[in-house]
Amino acid sequence: MSDDIKPTAETGPPREGSLDAPFRHPIAWKDEAYYDLAAVETEMERQFDVCHTCRRCFNLCDSFPRLFDMIDESKTGELDSVPKSDYAKVDEACTLCDMCFLTKCPYVPPHPFDIDIPHLILRYRAAKRKQGHREFVREQLGRTDRNGKLAKPFAGVVNAMSARKNTPLRKLLEAIAQIDAEVELPTYHSKTATDRLKTPRAPNPDGPAFGQRKVALYATCFVDYNEPDTAVAAARVLALQGVEVKLVYPECCGMPQLEAGDLKDVAGRAERVAKVFAPLIEDGYDVVALTASCGLMMKFEWPLIEPDNAAVIALSAATRDICEYVVELQKAYGLTPGLAPVEGGVTLHHACHARAQNMGAKSAEMLRLIPDTRVELVERCSGHGGTFGVMKSTAPVARKVGKAAAKQVAAKATENLCSDCPLACKHLGQLMIAETTPQAAKPPRQSHPIEIFARAYGPF
């Protein structure tokens, strides 16, 4: 292990774990030194050496087994004989899920070892990008607003062409664009969430929170274009509680660009979206995000990218996950009566980006407010990670990582499957049938937790 870390009078000797709250450093993306690839690889060597001597994270994803195998199979059995060019193999398997930072590593700041592998990988990608490394198809897939707007007028045709059962076209797509032919792709809608909620739902005057709360729902690109039912369900549940609700969608949060290391692009999105929400926050609106990844960006990543932007900091403080917010309403005011049991029970996959928000399993807590309903919880990575689960080069790793979670979902044997991450839900549903229980005749119904909660109040 590196001898660079020395005890000081202020820090005392290094210790494994502590009661001190972990924190992350601001991302110095405006500093040219941030993109110095040689310096980044030197820091990777330092942090990877700590990981090598600990290995608590061996079972989280494929990044760490790759690292440890490279070390174990090297000439010296130590990191010093692993070529730095091979560090790219660790990067390739990382989905920036944050689970190593949040759940496993005892050496995150304020520990003097200062380990943060996800943000180290992020810096590595940014440095490689600065040198001209691009993945064209991934970056085109990440332009979600453009893709959604282009697909909207032709949603039926687009969905038919991209359906997994359309084998000839999917094989052609795989050959041309390296998009795995076996992956279920998201579907598009000609009537988006923005269209369906153009007229806000009137708040229930008998709702316990009537006159007390106002919410600006951040639709997110995926909900707006691919899963508009999630936004409609959220608006209905909140309106039933008496909450004044309006849907707001300026643009995508930039998670695909973050994964690609395009931090300047992400910073621009943070600044523009925060500017739109600023007057709403000043007017007393709470901001509610409808997918876990977008909530994570707004609460935690954006403030690290734009720490001096007051609007970004205010938006971070005002943002809640939709299930987190419903639980908050219940505790503060109670809920409107009328929830009915969900037949067949529910298995909730607690998505990594929900766990990374460090708020607890709020989706499970919300679903357990439904009377006489069995709610099962699975806390294991689905392996999906945006384009990671779609591209031919990484989809097999996504399946490998997600298979353990899919087995847990299958063992719960409920009729409903949901996740804070819609892509994770789709991925696990496909894995469960194709790899775990191929004999199953009826797969579980897949949806967002807020949709299940809304259906407990009756059809919507």
Side-chain angles (χ1 to χ4, degrees), residues 356-374:
Q357 293 179 46
N358 209 21
M359 61 184 174
K362 293 300 179 184
S363 298
E365 196 173 338
M366 180 191 75
L367 291 171
R368 286 173 181 144
L369 297 172
I370 303 172
D372 302 320
T373 297
R374 179 165 69 99

Side-chain angles (χ1 to χ4, degrees), residues 232-255:
V232 174
R236 178 173 185 254
V237 168
L238 294 178
L240 279 171
Q241 313 315 315
V243 177
E244 181 184 326
V245 185
K246 63 169 62 178
L247 191 76
V248 181
Y249 181 55
E251 60 181 295
C252 169
C253 72
M255 175 61 81

Side-chain angles (χ1 to χ4, degrees), residues 422-445:
L423 285 170
C425 189
K426 184 183 290 288
H427 180 61
L428 287 173
Q430 186 178 351
L431 280 179
M432 196 183 94
I433 300 306
E435 297 189 33
T436 311
T437 54
Q439 75 281 3
K442 184 181 179 184
R445 182 177 184 178

Side-chain angles (χ1 to χ4, degrees), residues 183-186 222 226-227 291 293 349 382 384-387 389-390 419-429 446:
V183 174
E184 293 279 4
L185 296 176
F222 196 88
N226 305 110
E227 297 288 348
T291 60
S293 296
H349 168 251
S382 73
H384 196 279
T387 56
V390 171
S419 175
D420 313 273
C421 172
L423 285 170
C425 189
K426 184 183 290 288
H427 180 61
L428 287 173
Q446 299 166 28

Side-chain angles (χ1 to χ4, degrees), residues 14 23 37 45 98 106 111 137 139 146 206 211 252 322 328 330 335 382 408 415 418:
F23 68 87
L37 186 58
E45 183 177 23
D98 279 344
H111 192 284
V137 174
E139 299 211 2
R146 180 205 62 184
D206 297 322
C252 169
I322 179 59
E328 185 178 309
Q330 187 272 332
L335 292 177
S382 73
Q408 290 186 23
E415 293 182 14
C418 63

